[in-house]
Amino acid sequence: MKIKENLYTADSFEGDLSFEEIISQNQKKIINLIYGMTGDYYLSEDLTQETFLKAFQSRHSFNGKSKFSTWLYRIAVNVTVDHQRKSCVRKEMAAEEPDPKFSKVDTLQDPDRSCQKNATRNIIFTSIANLPDQQKEVFVLRELNGCSTKEVAEILDCSVELVKWRLHKARLSLRKTLNNNTNYKNLGTITLNRFGLE
């Protein structure tokens, strides 16, 4: 994703980091969060850029009471929810959408594994995107972005108990969906987490 870097180089933001460094450290996590919420990688790139623009514009409102990542995730969730409310349409992932994490080297080294990872990732993210919104937000923040339960509660402004309940429901729903997906079962075992597919 290309960020308009000239907008971010003037200020330091968190500690001694420039906003450009903040983007570099958090960009993949924000894309992952929004991708999990929308099921559309290219849309997640656009909304990630919008997230960073909003964060930059409201940078003086960050008071340090929560972790910076918590504050940034909250902005990303709000940006995504606002977009979904405006469009009123949940976009489906393109069936042949390339896996953005692939490099040509990976494909050349093991093309079968690359295709398997791409297919699995598409199935999983489509399933996540089809969860009810509240379950989806909790699942992506907790399972894909590695936030603690307490952080998720802060980001979504709800209780820890409610986060745990929504996460439980999301896991049950995903397990049922994936167990009923013949294509997924035929792909073998691959783990999806905040580091990607393994």
Side-chain angles (χ1 to χ4, degrees):
M1 177 177 65
K2 188 174 181 181
I3 298 289
K4 298 176 183 176
E5 297 177 0
N6 60 315
L7 293 177
Y8 308 122
T9 54
D11 295 69
S12 64
F13 195 70
E14 185 184 27
D16 293 328
L17 295 177
S18 69
F19 201 74
E20 185 178 352
E21 290 169 318
I22 295 293
I23 290 173
S24 178
Q25 289 183 5
N26 292 280
Q27 181 174 318
K28 287 183 180 178
K29 289 182 178 180
I30 298 300
I31 287 178
N32 209 33
L33 167 62
I34 299 174
Y35 186 12
M37 290 178 67
T38 63
D40 185 327
Y41 183 79
Y42 299 107
L43 175 61
S44 73
E45 286 190 312
D46 292 341
L47 295 182
T48 295
Q49 180 156 321
E50 185 177 339
T51 295
F52 284 118
L53 284 170
K54 285 186 180 295
F56 181 75
Q57 290 165 355
S58 60
R59 63 195 182 280
H60 300 300
S61 69
F62 177 63
N63 55 25
K65 289 182 180 178
S66 62
K67 289 171 60 175
F68 176 77
S69 58
T70 300
W71 180 76
L72 191 57
Y73 286 148
R74 187 179 297 122
I75 293 173
V77 168
N78 289 339
V79 164
T80 307
V81 170
D82 287 347
H83 171 82
Q84 290 173 326
R85 283 178 182 154
K86 288 174 186 175
S87 66
C88 297
V89 174
R90 178 177 290 152
K91 295 184 178 180
E92 297 292 332
M93 285 174 55
E96 299 300 321
E97 180 177 307
D99 188 333
K101 295 190 176 187
F102 284 170
S103 68
K104 291 181 180 178
V105 174
D106 291 336
T107 304
L108 291 173
Q109 287 177 347
D110 191 348
D112 289 339
R113 182 68 174 170
S114 295
C115 289
Q116 182 185 21
K117 285 172 69 174
N118 190 29
T120 304
R121 193 170 202 272
N122 285 344
I123 290 169
I124 291 174
F125 271 94
T126 299
S127 299
I128 292 170
N130 287 328
L131 286 170
D133 290 341
Q134 293 177 335
Q135 292 178 26
K136 178 168 44 184
E137 293 165 0
V138 168
F139 183 86
V140 174
L141 286 165
R142 182 72 181 88
E143 299 293 348
L144 301 188
N145 280 30
C147 296
S148 69
T149 305
K150 184 179 178 181
E151 286 176 314
V152 176
E154 284 184 50
I155 293 164
L156 300 178
D157 194 24
C158 62
S159 69
V160 168
E161 290 73 21
L162 189 55
V163 167
K164 289 179 180 178
W165 173 248
R166 289 175 181 172
L167 182 61
H168 172 70
K169 295 291 285 182
R171 286 171 175 162
L172 289 178
S173 296
L174 276 176
R175 190 176 297 123
K176 182 178 180 181
T177 299
L178 294 174
N179 284 340
N180 290 333
N181 189 312
T182 305
N183 292 330
Y184 178 78
K185 287 193 281 190
N186 291 338
L187 286 170
T189 304
I190 289 182
T191 302
L192 177 71
N193 56 37
R194 61 186 178 278
F195 305 109
L197 286 175
E198 299 175 349

